[in-house]
Amino acid sequence: MDFHSGLTLVIGANGLGKTTIITILYRMFTGPYDVPALAYRALGTAELQETSIPRDRRLIFAKRTADGARDASATLTFRIAQTDVTVERSLRDLSLLSAVIGGNPIEPTEDNLKNELKRLVGVWSFGDFMLVLQQLVFYFETRQELVWDASAQRELLRALFLSVDDARTWAEDERAILRLDSHIRNLSAVRNRLERDVAVQARQVATLPEVRTELDTLNGLQEVDMARRERLNAEIDAADAQRRAARLRQMNGAQAREERYRELERAKLISITAEFPTQSETTRYIIGQLVGDGHCLVCGSDATRAARLLASRVSRNQCALCATPLKILSRASVSDKQMEGLRNRLDQADREASAADAELRDANNHYQEISRTIDELNVAITDRSRTIDALVAKLPPKEAILHGKLSELAGWKAREDASRTEVANLRAAFKNFVDDKNLEIQKFADRVKRSFHSYAKGFLVEDCSLVWQPRRDTLGQMGEKFDFPAFELNMGGAGFIEPVRRSGPDQVSESQREFIDLAFRMALIDVATGTQSGSLVIDAPESSLDMVFAKRAGGVLAEFAGARDNRLVVTSNLVASDLVSELVYSIPRKERSARVVDLFEIAEKTAAVRDFWDEYKRARKKLLT
């Protein structure tokens, strides 16, 4: 099969292998891997991590042939980012037989190929690569409606329109928050169970001896100090980051001050040496060194006072050596203005450097104060623990059991509190990150909306448009909500004067649902590929269409196929005659033999095809002519 730019149409009857061909194409990219989350009807917050598929599913093609596809293989050549890639796989078990990248063979391992595909596509994970394949390139019958799945949109927009590093940071931070959220729920469950156990144990202890009273006091102090230590351990990281940032600003301030000081000194040198136009270069050099470095070249002594004196005389339009008043030249007045500006810049640099010095001192003091307090708490907690252990040894058996439960409960509470603090910090940082990246993604929103409107108005009669509407959603089961990037759909209808928001697929007809979602994916392909070509593989598009609607749909698909050397592959039964006829009509007659893959000719015939061959033959002839 040759996939020329434009349309390639695969026609056949049930059982001739249309879906098999599409599945082979897909598996040539993915091999024996799936992303389980992509099988869900709604993506949600599941992790996009590829996993090896079970052996039984690797034999998907082997089970379709009598010899188990023992010697069968498939080779696919495709292009990504102007680089040709050729992949050969066994159809027995999907194993990789060979791979050539840009004309250079690579060692045929799955990891090598995955890394090359990630690099060429510009995504950070193979899970993101498979996300793009399933959500954009391949339009399977089992797909979910992308335009109504905000979580899938979030992941796809992240992968398409952010840099590799930002997309990776987004995904990893998101997973870290979700893991920690789950961890906190587990800690909370354990804590609740322990609290119930402690309550039961406390009822069994009838008396409270002096030892228990002292233990209660010490345990209370211990819990307070441990909680405080946890908070300070979280604060000291932020304090250290603040200290490092202050140190960097202090260094930059000192460097800026030094540069502006040198600028002023160079200006002074120019002003002084300009008064001696007839003197030798030696005189210029001596005076310049005196002013610039503050050292006498004759005796080597510190000459700061002399340098200041020379500079002062120049500023008052006096001779630098004898202090005789000089005639003010236009050149001197310009130099005065420049000198004033340089002095102001130096003063500003001095103020900024001083402020940076003060900030660094404060940051260092804050860090040292926290560190000192943590050290003191560590000593107090350790000493108190020894006292508590000694008192526990004096308790009756039931008291000792209760104390053990209390100590265990305190430990779980401390871990839960620490985790809650950690996840709160992660959420705050992630919120700032997402808000910033939303702005980057939004830069593409208008182009996506325009492209969608162009395709949608071709597919549908009703007015249909996308609206950029970030979706507020949580990560996990607690914490504040985030504004995630998303589009929503507005659409007119017979019962509405103006277009209204269609928030779910059940609010449109089946055929509308099909082509709204297809228009959205085509729009994303247009914008994400920029000036390069894109590919779209559609397996059995909607066949229950009236004649007018099918003609419009065929025209839009043909338009997409003819834009920017796009590749469009469509499989269909002969029964979808209106749609398929429109697609065939879009192919120049002289190219039809090259662009139509006729499974009636090349596939193993089913019993139905053999029995009704004459009828199929007449339908094919009518369609293709």
Side-chain angles (χ1 to χ4, degrees):
M1 299 172 62
D2 292 323
F3 302 99
H4 305 283
S5 60
L7 173 66
T8 298
L9 181 63
V10 181
I11 60 172
N14 290 337
L16 285 187
K18 301 183 302 298
T19 299
T20 299
I21 286 177
I22 300 303
T23 307
I24 288 175
L25 286 176
Y26 178 72
R27 287 297 172 190
M28 295 303 290
F29 291 100
T30 68
Y33 295 97
D34 272 342
V35 176
L38 295 178
Y40 304 156
R41 292 302 298 171
L43 187 59
T45 56
E47 186 173 7
L48 297 179
Q49 177 62 50
E50 78 274 10
T51 59
S52 297
I53 61 177
R55 173 173 171 75
D56 182 63
R57 291 183 55 207
R58 297 188 188 195
L59 303 179
I60 179 174
F61 303 119
K63 293 177 180 179
R64 303 186 183 192
T65 61
D67 66 350
R70 183 178 62 250
D71 300 317
S73 65
T75 302
L76 177 67
T77 296
F78 52 95
R79 178 173 297 157
I80 303 175
Q82 306 304 315
T83 299
D84 287 341
V85 180
T86 299
V87 174
E88 181 185 11
R89 290 188 180 277
S90 166
L91 291 183
R92 180 176 60 85
D93 59 3
L94 303 181
S95 58
L96 182 62
L97 301 179
S98 67
V100 179
I101 311 292
N104 300 312
I106 65 171
E107 184 181 355
T109 67
E110 295 289 355
D111 284 344
N112 284 346
L113 181 59
K114 287 195 293 185
N115 289 334
E116 289 292 336
L117 292 178
K118 287 189 301 182
R119 177 182 62 82
L120 290 172
V121 174
V123 292
W124 79 272
S125 72
F126 197 67
D128 274 5
F129 173 71
M130 293 184 67
L131 170 73
V132 173
L133 279 183
Q134 283 205 24
Q135 297 290 350
L136 289 189
V137 179
F138 286 86
Y139 195 68
F140 290 116
E141 287 185 286
T142 56
R143 67 198 169 273
Q144 63 263 40
E145 287 86 2
L146 178 62
V147 76
W148 287 292
D149 186 348
S151 58
Q153 282 192 45
R154 174 202 316 173
E155 299 299 335
L156 191 58
L157 295 173
R158 169 189 60 80
L160 291 178
F161 299 125
L162 293 184
S163 69
V164 173
D165 288 340
D166 285 344
R168 178 174 191 155
T169 297
W170 182 309
E172 290 182 341
D173 287 356
E174 193 174 65
R175 298 316 306 172
I177 290 172
L178 288 170
R179 283 192 295 268
L180 199 52
D181 181 89
S182 177
H183 178 62
I184 291 171
R185 294 199 303 274
N186 293 335
L187 290 174
S188 181
V190 173
R191 175 181 55 77
N192 290 334
R193 189 180 68 248
L194 281 172
E195 286 178 342
R196 290 193 297 269
D197 291 346
V198 166
V200 171
Q201 196 69 38
R203 286 194 295 269
Q204 295 174 354
V205 177
T207 61
L208 292 176
E210 294 180 1
V211 173
R212 171 64 190 280
T213 302
E214 186 177 357
L215 271 175
D216 285 344
T217 301
L218 292 175
N219 278 328
L221 293 173
Q222 195 79 326
E223 186 173 341
V224 170
D225 280 357
M226 290 175 68
R228 187 182 180 197
R229 182 177 63 180
E230 291 297 331
R231 290 195 300 271
L232 290 176
N233 280 331
E235 289 179 14
I236 198 168
D237 291 336
D240 186 46
Q242 183 181 11
R243 183 177 61 163
R244 291 196 301 270
R247 183 180 296 114
L248 179 60
R249 283 191 289 271
Q250 188 263 350
M251 292 172 59
N252 290 337
Q255 181 179 356
R257 188 215 174 277
E258 179 65 21
E259 290 175 353
R260 293 177 183 180
Y261 174 78
R262 291 298 177 189
E263 288 176 357
L264 180 59
E265 294 303 308
R266 283 194 294 271
K268 291 178 181 178
L269 172 60
I270 293 172
S271 296
I272 292 173
T273 55
E275 296 185 30
F276 301 94
T278 61
Q279 298 300 315
S280 66
E281 291 299 321
T282 301
T283 304
R284 292 174 180 266
Y285 178 72
I286 292 173
I287 295 175
Q289 287 294 318
L290 181 62
V291 174
D293 294 336
H295 289 88
C296 179
L297 287 180
V298 179
C299 66
S301 302
D302 178 52
T304 305
R305 291 179 59 191
R308 283 200 297 266
L309 178 61
L310 292 179
S312 174
R313 289 174 177 173
V314 170
S315 66
R316 295 194 302 270
N317 295 305
Q318 295 175 341
C319 174
L321 292 184
C322 68
T324 299
L326 300 174
K327 182 179 179 181
I328 299 177
L329 302 176
S330 60
R331 177 177 58 188
S333 63
V334 172
S335 178
D336 289 344
K337 292 180 181 179
Q338 293 174 341
M339 294 285 283
E340 184 64 25
L342 290 172
R343 289 192 187 93
N344 291 337
R345 283 166 54 86
L346 179 58
D347 290 342
Q348 178 65 24
D350 282 335
R351 289 192 295 272
E352 292 175 358
S354 296
D357 290 340
E359 183 182 356
L360 179 58
R361 284 194 301 272
D362 292 342
N364 280 331
N365 292 337
H366 181 54
Y367 178 85
Q368 291 167 4
E369 181 181 352
I370 295 176
S371 181
R372 183 168 54 253
T373 304
I374 290 175
D375 290 341
E376 292 171 355
L377 287 172
N378 285 334
V379 172
I381 290 170
T382 301
D383 291 344
R384 195 178 295 120
S385 293
R386 295 194 186 99
T387 304
I388 290 172
D389 291 341
L391 291 172
V392 168
K394 301 177 183 180
L395 286 175
K398 287 186 178 181
E399 288 281 351
I401 293 173
L402 178 58
H403 179 268
K405 292 288 186 181
L406 287 170
S407 297
E408 186 179 1
L409 177 59
W412 283 100
K413 283 183 176 179
R415 285 192 286 273
E416 183 180 346
D417 290 342
S419 295
R420 288 184 183 277
T421 300
E422 182 181 358
V423 78
N425 292 334
L426 285 177
R427 287 178 185 278
F430 186 63
K431 183 180 186 304
N432 292 334
F433 178 81
V434 168
D435 289 345
D436 182 52
K437 298 310 164 187
N438 273 346
L439 297 177
E440 290 189 24
I441 296 174
Q442 190 177 356
K443 295 176 183 177
F444 299 91
D446 286 341
R447 291 162 55 191
V448 173
K449 289 190 290 186
R450 287 195 300 270
S451 181
F452 172 82
H453 186 263
S454 174
Y455 288 123
K457 74 177 181 181
F459 280 133
L460 309 171
V461 176
E462 290 83 358
D463 186 14
C464 190
S465 61
L466 287 179
V467 178
W468 174 256
Q469 184 63 60
R471 181 71 63 88
R472 290 188 65 78
D473 201 359
T474 59
L475 278 181
Q477 297 183 8
M478 58 185 185
E480 64 178 320
K481 292 186 176 182
F482 302 90
D483 287 327
F484 290 115
F487 292 95
E488 292 191 1
L489 177 73
N490 282 348
M491 183 175 165
F496 302 99
I497 299 176
E498 296 291 338
V500 297
R501 185 66 47 87
R502 305 299 177 98
S503 56
D506 56 335
Q507 298 179 11
V508 298
S509 71
E510 184 179 353
S511 57
Q512 288 172 337
R513 178 190 315 170
E514 179 104 4
F515 288 104
I516 286 170
D517 201 45
L518 183 57
F520 184 37
R521 296 169 193 248
M522 292 162 66
L524 288 174
I525 291 174
D526 277 354
V527 177
T529 54
T531 59
Q532 299 188 48
S533 58
S535 296
L536 179 60
V537 181
I538 304 177
D539 186 19
E542 176 62 53
S543 58
S544 59
L545 305 175
D546 60 56
M547 181 174 63
V548 174
F549 197 85
K551 185 178 180 68
R552 292 173 63 90
V556 177
L557 291 173
E559 176 188 347
F560 174 84
R564 294 182 309 188
D565 292 331
N566 285 340
R567 265 74 170 169
L568 174 65
V569 180
V570 177
T571 71
S572 183
N573 284 329
L574 292 181
V575 293
S577 55
D578 293 325
L579 175 59
V580 179
S581 294
E582 188 65 28
L583 292 174
V584 171
Y585 181 75
S586 71
I587 304 173
R589 185 178 297 272
K590 63 181 180 180
E591 297 181 13
R592 287 180 188 173
S593 61
R595 292 186 179 274
V596 176
V597 178
D598 188 354
L599 296 183
F600 290 100
E601 292 290 342
I602 66 175
E604 187 74 18
K605 291 180 175 57
T606 65
V609 171
R610 288 195 300 269
D611 291 346
F612 301 100
W613 173 246
D614 289 340
E615 294 182 42
Y616 279 119
K617 187 175 180 180
R618 285 193 297 272
R620 287 166 55 233
K621 182 178 180 181
K622 180 179 179 181
L623 174 70
L624 297 178
T625 58

